[in-house]
Amino acid sequence: MRKPFHSKTSSRIMLAVISTMAIAGLFLVLEFTPSISGQAGDVMAQKIFYYHVPSAWTTGLAYFVVMIAGIQFLRTGDHKWDWVGLASAEIGTLFCALVLITGPIWGKAAWGQPWTWEPRLVTTLILFLIYVGYFMLRQFGGHYERAARNSAVLGILAFVDVPIVYVSLKFWSEETQAHPQAQMGGQSTTILWIFLFVLSTFALLSVHMIRYRIHLLSLRNELLTGNHGI
Amino acid sequence: MFLTVLKKDLLVELRSKEIVISMIAFGVSVILLYSFSFNQSPETFSIFSAGLLWMVFLFISVLGLHRSFSLEKEFDAMGLMLSAPVDRSYIFLSKWLSGLAFLLVSQSVIVPLFWLFLHLPIPGNLGGWIGLFILSDLGITSIGSLVSGITMRARMGEILLPILLFPLVSPLLIAAVRSTHALMNNQDFGEWRIWIQLMTTFVVAFALMGYVIFDHVSEQ
């Protein structure tokens, strides 16, 4: 019988590290990052950037894993890759939702309106919509084997599509305000270090969540196939 | 062998004409709704017309693509075709090109009616229009055939197809609308070349993907 996920020493250490980092990160962001006043003059809103941008990067990373897992699943037919793909898609979509929630909160304060047709934000929305379709395909895709294969294909399709979406939106909405992320390089080192700290917290958290989800999927598989006790 | 598969797709449609007729009928009804909903001066309408035109094309392509693939479910035609000694990529290529043909035929009826009903000024540069339609249609039907292949045997496939297709096809739609707008206003080609390049990238990327990956989609 396998040990429950949360009883494993590695999982416990990971969880402790992530919790500590999350609390420390919150403290660092609130105390040590400078406030930059936006158009609406709301200086606190800048802080959400330390959660918005890492969420976006984590989303990108998770969806990249979906694509790799998709290719591997189609090549090898190994179900482990399917679980990796599904788990990453779920966690990626969770962070994608966070991007879409935090973006408008910041936008309202900085630009005076919650939504602009800014390329990165719209690309994220399109990705989110594609992945809503992905989960519907999982749900209604018919036989498990077929749904797994088709969603692997969709994961690859989505990743090929996204750069084209981004480029087209860039040319489409040239007049909209530029995303401030491009200026990140010019900021002081304190900001960069705190940003990287929060980013690594998010990366670790997503890896942990994906691992947990893969564990659950493998348990479900054992139940369904009657293949207990490895 | 590819030509045989393509001939089969075209012949089935030529005999029943159900796909093209339903695409045209649906397209014309949407134009009718447009003219009721935008009962304003033609000048106001011409600002939106490029976008509205492509909305019609997107709607009718979903209709056509879905029908084209669901035909294969009847009498398990897909299963028989898969067991035939045909390269599966040919099935994709054939669906892609036959889809292109159906869309072009429907457009040749819908576009004149669109201009006629909505009192738009007659534009010049016929070659440019034909080129634009062929390029954009190649894009819509390439990714459309792939997504239809994915959704054809899913429950609620007819709903899943547009849900998946619309976000995926959005860059192509932007490019097509922008190019149509430029053609309507006789803009210099240099100003909107980027959109043609973008559409070409899209077509090449998804045609290649379809060719390589359709094998996995069509597996039983």
Side-chain angles (χ1 to χ4, degrees):
Chain A
M1 200 56 201
R2 273 199 287 179
K3 232 177 168 179
F5 184 79
H6 292 296
S7 310
K8 285 188 202 159
T9 324
S10 63
S11 307
R12 284 185 169 168
I13 292 173
M14 189 87 161
L15 206 60
V17 169
I18 293 168
S19 317
T20 320
M21 280 177 82
I23 295 166
L26 188 64
F27 176 71
L28 285 175
V29 168
L30 287 177
E31 284 297 314
F32 292 102
T33 60
S35 299
I36 300 162
S37 52
Q39 281 172 0
D42 193 337
V43 285
M44 274 305 274
Q46 182 62 25
K47 310 264 185 194
I48 206 166
F49 241 59
Y50 297 89
Y51 292 92
H52 175 74
V53 182
S55 305
W57 286 22
T58 314
T59 308
L61 196 71
Y63 286 159
F64 180 69
V65 175
V66 177
M67 183 196 63
I68 299 292
I71 294 174
Q72 289 295 346
F73 176 65
L74 292 181
R75 270 188 51 225
T76 61
D78 187 346
H79 281 278
K80 286 208 177 71
W81 286 113
D82 179 47
W83 304 334
V84 174
L86 177 57
S88 308
E90 285 176 352
I91 306 305
T93 309
L94 182 72
F95 282 102
C96 195
L98 279 179
V99 177
L100 289 173
I101 294 167
T102 50
I105 293 178
W106 181 84
K108 178 83 179 97
W111 293 336
Q113 55 188 13
W115 186 267
T116 58
W117 291 96
E118 195 276 327
R120 271 176 238 249
L121 203 54
V122 185
T123 310
T124 316
L125 176 65
I126 288 178
L127 251 180
F128 185 75
L129 288 175
I130 294 174
Y131 272 91
V132 169
Y134 177 98
F135 294 118
M136 289 180 74
L137 188 67
R138 283 271 176 186
Q139 194 72 34
F140 306 120
H143 186 258
Y144 169 73
E145 192 77 27
R146 184 184 295 152
R149 222 174 22 237
N150 284 342
S151 38
V153 171
L154 185 63
I156 303 170
L157 265 186
F159 211 82
V160 173
D161 196 53
V162 162
I164 310 180
V165 172
Y166 181 65
V167 172
S168 65
L169 284 166
K170 241 188 145 137
F171 285 109
W172 178 62
S173 61
E174 274 169 319
E175 58 277 0
T176 48
Q177 268 161 310
H179 204 286
Q181 196 193 346
Q183 294 130 29
M184 205 66 192
Q187 305 283 5
S188 73
T189 41
T190 323
I191 291 187
L192 190 67
W193 280 113
I194 295 178
F195 170 73
L196 288 176
F197 184 78
V198 182
L199 180 65
S200 32
T201 313
F202 270 61
L204 283 178
L205 178 65
S206 63
V207 169
H208 188 70
M209 287 165 89
I210 290 172
R211 276 185 58 224
Y212 181 47
R213 192 69 186 106
I214 293 172
H215 174 80
L216 287 183
L217 286 168
S218 70
L219 280 184
R220 192 181 70 168
N221 183 60
E222 278 174 23
L223 267 178
L224 291 177
T225 56
N227 182 13
H228 297 285
I230 300 168
Chain B
M1 188 55 90
F2 162 63
L3 287 179
T4 318
V5 183
L6 181 63
K7 196 173 143 200
K8 178 220 76 166
D9 274 341
L10 293 176
L11 208 63
V12 168
E13 176 55 21
L14 206 64
R15 293 207 176 128
S16 68
K17 298 177 195 65
E18 58 177 49
I19 295 179
V20 171
I21 287 182
S22 52
M23 282 166 88
I24 293 175
F26 186 74
V28 175
S29 345
V30 175
I31 297 177
L32 201 68
L33 293 182
Y34 281 167
S35 49
F36 293 152
S37 330
F38 300 95
N39 188 14
Q40 298 293 328
S41 63
E43 290 78 42
T44 326
F45 186 77
S46 71
I47 301 171
F48 310 109
S49 50
L52 293 173
L53 185 65
W54 281 99
M55 298 269 286
V56 179
F57 296 157
L58 211 54
F59 290 154
I60 61 170
S61 10
V62 168
L63 214 67
L65 286 164
H66 178 68
R67 187 66 202 138
S68 164
F69 274 85
S70 58
L71 270 177
E72 303 291 349
K73 284 200 295 193
E74 288 171 16
F75 309 111
D76 194 26
M78 196 65 171
L80 292 173
M81 192 140 74
L82 291 178
S83 53
V86 181
D87 191 331
R88 287 173 187 177
S89 310
Y90 289 167
I91 302 176
F92 166 75
L93 288 182
S94 145
K95 284 288 174 205
W96 176 29
L97 294 181
S98 60
L100 172 75
F102 304 154
L103 192 52
L104 282 173
V105 171
S106 321
Q107 281 170 336
S108 64
V109 178
I110 290 171
V111 172
L113 287 176
F114 188 80
W115 253 259
L116 183 77
F117 285 168
L118 301 164
H119 307 294
L120 294 169
I122 307 288
N125 195 0
L126 190 66
W129 282 101
I130 294 176
L132 170 65
F133 279 147
I134 291 180
L135 187 61
S136 324
D137 294 357
L138 276 173
I140 294 181
T141 45
S142 65
I143 191 161
S145 305
L146 245 175
V147 176
S148 308
I150 290 177
T151 57
M152 73 182 268
R153 273 175 297 200
R155 264 190 304 135
M156 309 211 319
E158 66 281 4
I159 298 169
L160 266 177
L161 172 61
I163 288 181
L164 288 174
L165 182 64
F166 289 172
L168 283 168
V169 88
S170 52
L172 192 92
L173 187 74
I174 294 175
V177 170
R178 277 294 171 103
S179 314
T180 308
H181 197 75
L183 267 178
M184 279 176 162
N185 296 306
N186 292 319
Q187 277 178 20
D188 203 31
F189 181 64
E191 287 174 36
W192 52 281
R193 186 193 288 137
I194 179 74
W195 299 117
I196 299 295
Q197 289 165 341
L198 209 125
M199 280 197 272
T200 315
T201 315
F202 191 93
V203 171
V204 172
F206 285 104
L208 275 176
M209 270 208 72
Y211 188 78
V212 174
I213 227 167
F214 199 76
D215 198 14
H216 299 288
V217 172
S218 54
E219 231 167 276
Q220 278 291 28

